[in-house]
Amino acid sequence: MAQRNGAAVSNGGAVARAAGAVRGSVMPEQLLEQLLAEVRQWRPVVRERIAEMEQRGDILPELLAWLRERRLFKLFVPKEFGGLEFTLTAAVRLYEELAALDGSLGWLVQIGAGGGFFVPSFPPEVARELFAPPEAVIAGTSYVGGRARRLPKGFCVSGYWRYASGAAYATLFTAQAEVEGEGIAAFAFRREEVTLIPEWEPLGMRATSSWSFEVRELVVPPERCFRVGQRLWEPGLSVYALPFSLFAYASIGAVAVGLARALAEEAELLGCGRFVQACAQELAEIRARFFELVAWAEGLSPESSPARAAELEREIAALLEQLRMSLLRAMPLLGMRAVLRPYALERLLRDLLTLYQHELLRMWWG
């Protein structure tokens, strides 16, 4: 891999040791509740070192080690590849809790775990090679930032892509390119095949290492070219049957809901009674409706009409826009604590504003 521009806390160690002691010994619902509890145990560590994370532009090494130990980047990977085979409903509950702890953390897990959606897009033997290693995690981008041409034994790809969250530790990078005479296709690049460009300096979500990357005249084997949403085989997870855009709305939405929940909780702790009175009830109703819609989405069968999936997608998008507007209307009631660095409110608002600049959420505006 080329690159341009070039104290562990005891509580975190305790969480990691607890994770190792129970690995593989609980049922799915028990595992989810256990993971939610472990996320909460990280709160003192993250609160104490959040400035360090933002300065380094990445999460703490011990936090990354815990994510890998608990296989949180493998929520949608088959058990035969070392995954957890989570349902979408369980995953979004976990994303919400992680985002309530820290927006960057919630974002990174939903991005890394979301890469598991592509497992059936590769032949089984290739999927095993890409997703089974314990350290395997994808960083990707939806932008069409490259061009490719077909060769006798693969593709020659060149391009430059931005906003690959988790680039600091990802083992695989996915991106879309225009293939001469064939249209748009996605490609999977190994870490050593890309040049990383650490140019992420945002308002919020600062600890996501959402770097850019590029390849130049890279020959990619045909088995690492895929179409988003295609299924070459059936690993048996229901989430693979969902439209990718609906899956993405649910995943990103969980991060927004988690950040909003954390904002309301922090405002209450600081005695911002007018803010709480203005929007807490609406935020709670939005949260309940969001999880209801995700459950309905997960209940879609392969026989369900595409129109029903599109309707659920629109409902989730509208709900997330309602959430954004509710927070913006009430934000003046937080006073100067909303914009001063010593307060967690400032970071939460920065993360929310950055999140809502994501292409998927901007599509609401046409």
Side-chain angles (χ1 to χ4, degrees), residues 111 158 174 182 238 335 355 361:
I111 285 290
S158 294
T174 57
E182 300 183 35
S238 61
L355 174 72
L361 300 184

Side-chain angles (χ1 to χ4, degrees), residues 19-39:
V22 294
R23 181 173 178 178
S25 63
V26 293
M27 299 298 290
E29 185 61 29
Q30 292 175 304
L31 176 58
L32 174 61
E33 294 303 323
Q34 177 183 298
L35 288 172
L36 293 174
E38 290 180 17
V39 172

